[in-house]
C-alpha cells in the first residue's frame, strides 16, 4: 500500500508541475485561442493526447532500447538544445522590438 501511495504522489507532483509551468503548448494555446477562438483548446488537447498515446505505444512495443543507445540519445539531446536556442533567440528578438509577422 505504501508503494502505491508513493507512485500516486510522484505521479501527481510530476503532472502538477507540468500543468502549472507555462511551456510551448501553453504559449501555442494562448496564441491560437486569440486567433481561432474557443475550439483551439480542445483541438490542441486532442493533438497532445494523440502524441502522448503514440509515444506510449512506441515505448511499450520496443522503442526504449533504441532510445538507450548513445548515438540516439546524443541526437535527441542536440536537437532539443538547438530548439531551445532557437526559441531563446526568438524571445530575445521579440523583446528587442517589433518584428514582422510570419504567416
Amino acid at each position: 500500500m505504501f508503494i502505491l501511495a508513493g507512485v500516486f504522489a510522484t505521479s501527481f507532483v510530476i503532472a502538477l508541475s507540468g500543468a502549472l509551468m507555462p511551456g510551448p503548448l501553453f504559449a501555442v494555446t494562448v496564441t491560437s485561442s486569440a486567433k481561432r477562438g474557443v475550439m483551439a483548446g480542445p483541438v490542441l488537447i486532442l493533438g497532445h493526447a494523440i502524441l502522448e498515446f503514440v509515444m506510449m505505444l512506441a515505448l511499450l512495443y520496443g522503442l526504449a532500447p533504441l532510445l538507450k543507445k548513445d548515438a540516439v540519445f546524443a541526437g535527441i539531446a542536440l536537437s532539443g538544445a538547438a530548439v531551445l536556442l532557437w526559441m531563446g533567440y526568438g524571445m530575445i528578438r521579440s523583446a528587442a522590438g517589433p518584428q514582422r509577422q510570419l504567416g
Side-chain angles (χ1 to χ4, degrees), residues 25 45-59:
L25 183 59
I45 290 169
L46 178 63
H48 185 78
I50 291 169
L51 175 67
E52 293 277 343
F53 185 72
V54 169
M55 285 300 299
M56 183 184 68
L57 287 178
L59 289 171

Side-chain angles (χ1 to χ4, degrees), residues 1 3-5 9 11 18 21 23 29-33 41-42 45 52 55 61 65-66 68 70 74 86 93-94 103:
M1 187 65 164
I3 293 173
L4 186 59
S11 298
M21 185 175 79
T29 303
V30 170
T31 304
S32 296
S33 296
I45 290 169
E52 293 277 343
M55 285 300 299
Y61 287 105
L66 176 68
K68 290 181 181 179
D70 289 339
W86 175 67
R93 278 192 53 202
S94 68

Side-chain angles (χ1 to χ4, degrees), residues 6-18:
V7 169
F8 174 78
T10 303
S11 298
F12 181 78
V13 169
I14 290 171
L16 186 63
S17 69

Side-chain angles (χ1 to χ4, degrees), residues 71-87:
V72 173
F73 181 82
I76 292 171
L78 290 173
S79 298
V83 168
L84 287 173
L85 287 170
W86 175 67
M87 288 172 61

